[in-house]
Amino acid sequence: MSDCIFCKIAAGELPSGKVYEDDELLAFHDIHPFARVHVLIIPKLHIATLAECMPEHESLLGKMLLLAPRLAKELGLSAGFKTLINTGRGGGQEVFHIHVHVFGGGEPAPHAQS
Ligand code: 5GP
Ligand code: ZN
C-alpha cells in the first residue's frame, strides 16, 4: 500500500523509534504516547483492520499478541500493561494498517485509565 504510513515505516522509508523487528513484525514507539510506555506492534504485511483478517492470518495475529508481554517486560512494565486494537472508524481507528497498542507505566489519558 503505497499511501500507508505504517507500510512506509515497515519498509524503512519513514523513521520510527523501533523497539523490535523480525521477518514478519515491527514494533515502535507511538508518536503521541498516552502512557509512559506506548508502543505499536504491526505486521509488515498490509492488513487494514482486524475485521479484514482471515484464517490465514491466525498465526500472524498470534505472533503479534505474544510479542506484547515480551516487549512490555523489556520496556519495564513489570506490574502489567494494557493492549488495544481499534477497529474501523467507529472503533476509533485512525491508521488503517492493523496494529496492537501496548501501553502502561503511568500518566495515561483519562480515557485510558482502568
Ligand atoms: P489508531 O487510532 O489507528 O488505533 O492508532 C494510531 C496510532 O498511530 C496513534 O496512537 C498515533 O499516535 C500513531 N501514529 C500515527 N502516525 C504515526 C507515525 O508516523 N509514527 C508513529 N510512531 N506513530 C504514529
Ligand atoms: Zn500498510
Side-chain angles (χ1 to χ4, degrees):
M1 287 282 289
S2 59
D3 60 344
C4 173
I5 195 162
F6 285 0
C7 279
K8 288 179 178 166
I9 288 174
E13 294 168 11
L14 285 178
S16 72
K18 182 169 71 176
V19 295
Y20 177 86
E21 181 171 16
D22 65 24
D23 288 348
E24 295 178 284
L25 305 179
L26 185 72
F28 51 90
H29 292 285
D30 194 293
I31 203 167
H32 294 128
F34 45 73
R36 182 176 61 78
V37 174
H38 183 180
V39 297
L40 304 173
I41 299 171
I42 68 167
K44 291 184 175 177
L45 176 70
H46 181 87
I47 305 168
T49 80
L50 183 61
E52 284 162 64
C53 285
M54 304 298 284
E56 62 260 34
H57 299 128
E58 183 176 344
S59 168
L60 188 62
L61 290 170
K63 288 175 182 174
M64 290 170 68
L65 279 186
L66 286 171
L67 182 57
R70 175 178 162 182
L71 292 183
K73 187 177 179 187
E74 287 177 7
L75 295 168
L77 299 179
S78 54
F81 60 93
K82 296 173 189 286
T83 51
L84 173 69
I85 304 175
N86 292 325
T87 301
R89 297 252 175 246
Q93 188 174 0
E94 294 177 358
V95 177
F96 280 75
H97 179 129
I98 189 170
H99 49 280
V100 179
H101 297 254
V102 179
F103 58 99
E107 298 189 4
H111 70 274
Q113 289 178 336
S114 55

